[in-house]
Amino acid sequence: MNQAMERRVLREAEYIAATGATVRKTASVLGVSKSTVHKDVTERLAEVDPQLYAAVRAVLDKNLHERHLRGGESTKRKFAQKRAAAARQVP
């Protein structure tokens, strides 16, 4: 693995470990694709830094288990906003 890739992997992993961010959020903040972040932190990181990999894996597992809850909350907010907007439009 070249040095630039190794630095990118470590930067992504440290960001996830420090903030608890999702793969999608990390990709957005660091300006890389989410596919790249996912491959970096699930495959390449284990070779570079096994201890950091364990910390990132814990965050990724937590995010995976909470994903359905976040989706439900997002949908709830979406329809609450639609109801509020419809209530404001009624004369």
Side-chain angles (χ1 to χ4, degrees):
M1 180 176 336
N2 66 37
Q3 288 182 340
M5 185 183 299
E6 191 171 316
R7 283 193 304 270
R8 183 188 69 220
V9 169
L10 290 172
R11 186 175 62 239
E12 294 164 354
E14 288 167 356
Y15 180 79
I16 290 173
T19 64
T22 62
V23 168
R24 191 177 295 251
K25 177 68 174 179
T26 303
S28 174
V29 168
L30 298 178
V32 294
S33 74
K34 67 183 174 102
S35 299
T36 299
V37 173
H38 188 268
K39 184 167 182 88
D40 286 348
V41 298
T42 59
E43 296 177 16
R44 295 179 180 133
L45 182 59
E47 298 172 16
V48 176
D49 189 340
Q51 289 180 328
L52 185 55
Y53 172 76
V56 170
R57 187 76 247 172
V59 172
L60 294 177
D61 288 342
K62 175 182 163 278
N63 288 338
L64 178 66
H65 293 303
E66 292 176 352
R67 182 173 58 190
H68 69 285
L69 299 172
R70 288 191 197 114
E73 285 298 316
S74 178
T75 302
K76 183 179 174 181
R77 279 192 311 273
K78 173 184 170 182
F79 285 104
Q81 289 172 350
K82 282 187 175 185
R83 280 193 300 275
R88 286 191 301 264
Q89 292 179 354
V90 174

